[in-house]
Amino acid sequence: MNKNLSSFEKPETASIKETVYQELRRRIIFCEVQPGSLIDEKQLIGEFQVSRTPIREALNSLAEEGLVTIYPRRAIAVAPITMNDIDNLFEVRSLLEPYIVRQAVGHVDCDRLVELAENMCESDDIATLAQKDSTFHNYLSSGCRNEVMVNMLESVFAQTQRMRVAMGRQCERIPFTRAEHLAIIECIRHRDADGAEQAMRKHLTAAKMTVMGLYHPVEIV
């Protein structure tokens, strides 16, 4: 962590806490700070050149998202990624996203979805791929027009993105993910809600199997 707050461009109305929160969140999601590693509040205070309050507020927000764990006696660590976490994330996604995709029929731009699906093939960097996949799913979820659900899934997608970055490269998965995304889009384009739901379930099952099969044992807690 070698940036300080003064190096970030931000509007005058943005809070210091929000700036710190967004930067720490980015580092955790992209595994620049590894799962399970300790966080030094004093180091962050010196790095961002701010008081303890915005640092603590940012860490509390990250704890609410499940990205950090605050232990008694003020020990703070980046949350580990466990097999139980993987099960929980995909359980939530399997409950919400099939419903989401039904609601998206007639309410999303299919050409934009195709663009996002094809855009994944333009990189083999795992962090970039994970971010592009999250962008696709976030755009799809916006079609349900339920702000509470959209916000909930945004947090879930961030956790999934971190999980995918932590597990390493998945280049062999790209063409399959692309095909699964395009199958979902084709159903949406033809206003086939049942087909879109089935295509989403197939995609989520394949994604979970990939994670369970490729996740390195030493990273399982």
Side-chain angles (χ1 to χ4, degrees):
M1 297 185 182
N2 54 14
K3 296 181 180 179
N4 58 50
L5 191 62
S6 62
S7 68
F8 298 104
E9 293 294 330
K10 59 184 187 299
E12 292 182 3
T13 55
S15 69
I16 296 174
K17 174 260 181 180
E18 182 65 18
T19 304
V20 173
Y21 161 77
Q22 290 294 345
E23 173 59 13
L24 293 179
R25 187 176 189 269
R26 184 194 65 78
R27 295 177 187 182
I28 291 170
I29 289 173
F30 285 96
C31 295
E32 293 176 15
V33 185
Q34 289 295 312
S37 60
L38 292 175
I39 295 175
D40 187 333
E41 274 190 281
K42 290 183 179 179
Q43 178 183 331
L44 293 177
I45 290 169
E47 176 189 351
F48 287 101
Q49 299 178 9
V50 296
S51 68
R52 180 177 178 273
T53 299
I55 297 294
R56 173 56 64 155
E57 290 176 346
L59 291 171
N60 284 338
S61 294
L62 292 168
E64 289 174 3
E65 284 190 72
L67 292 173
V68 304
T69 303
I70 300 177
Y71 296 101
R73 299 184 182 178
R74 299 169 67 179
I76 304 170
V78 177
I81 300 173
T82 69
M83 292 298 294
N84 189 55
D85 293 329
I86 295 171
D87 280 333
N88 288 342
L89 284 171
F90 278 99
E91 182 178 10
V92 171
R93 293 186 66 179
S94 68
L95 289 171
L96 295 184
E97 287 195 84
Y99 171 81
I100 287 287
V101 79
R102 295 187 70 93
Q103 304 306 307
V105 173
H107 297 292
V108 291
D109 182 345
C110 288
D111 291 336
R112 174 58 177 157
L113 282 172
V114 170
E115 180 184 343
L116 292 173
E118 297 290 2
N119 193 32
M120 282 193 67
C121 301
E122 297 176 3
S123 174
D124 61 359
D125 173 69
I126 185 59
T128 303
L129 287 170
Q131 184 174 32
K132 289 180 176 181
D133 185 66
S134 292
T135 300
F136 175 88
H137 284 274
N138 273 312
Y139 180 74
L140 192 56
S141 71
S142 69
C144 79
R145 299 176 296 174
N146 182 323
E147 188 174 341
V148 173
M149 194 172 292
V150 169
N151 291 337
M152 183 186 303
L153 276 171
E154 183 178 0
S155 177
V156 170
F157 294 148
Q159 289 274 16
T160 305
Q161 185 175 339
R162 183 174 79 111
M163 176 185 66
R164 292 184 61 187
V165 173
M167 66 181 279
R169 297 171 64 86
Q170 309 172 62
C171 294
E172 71 284 355
R173 171 73 182 144
I174 297 172
F176 298 100
T177 299
R178 172 185 175 275
E180 290 157 13
H181 283 178
L182 292 176
I184 293 168
I185 297 166
E186 193 66 12
C187 291
I188 294 173
R189 192 185 297 278
H190 288 90
R191 296 182 178 272
D192 179 3
D194 289 339
E197 179 178 337
Q198 291 172 11
M200 177 60 78
R201 291 189 185 280
K202 180 179 178 180
H203 171 57
L204 292 175
T205 298
K208 181 177 180 180
M209 288 176 63
T210 301
V211 172
M212 302 296 277
L214 295 181
Y215 210 82
H216 197 281
V218 300
E219 294 174 344
I220 300 297
V221 178

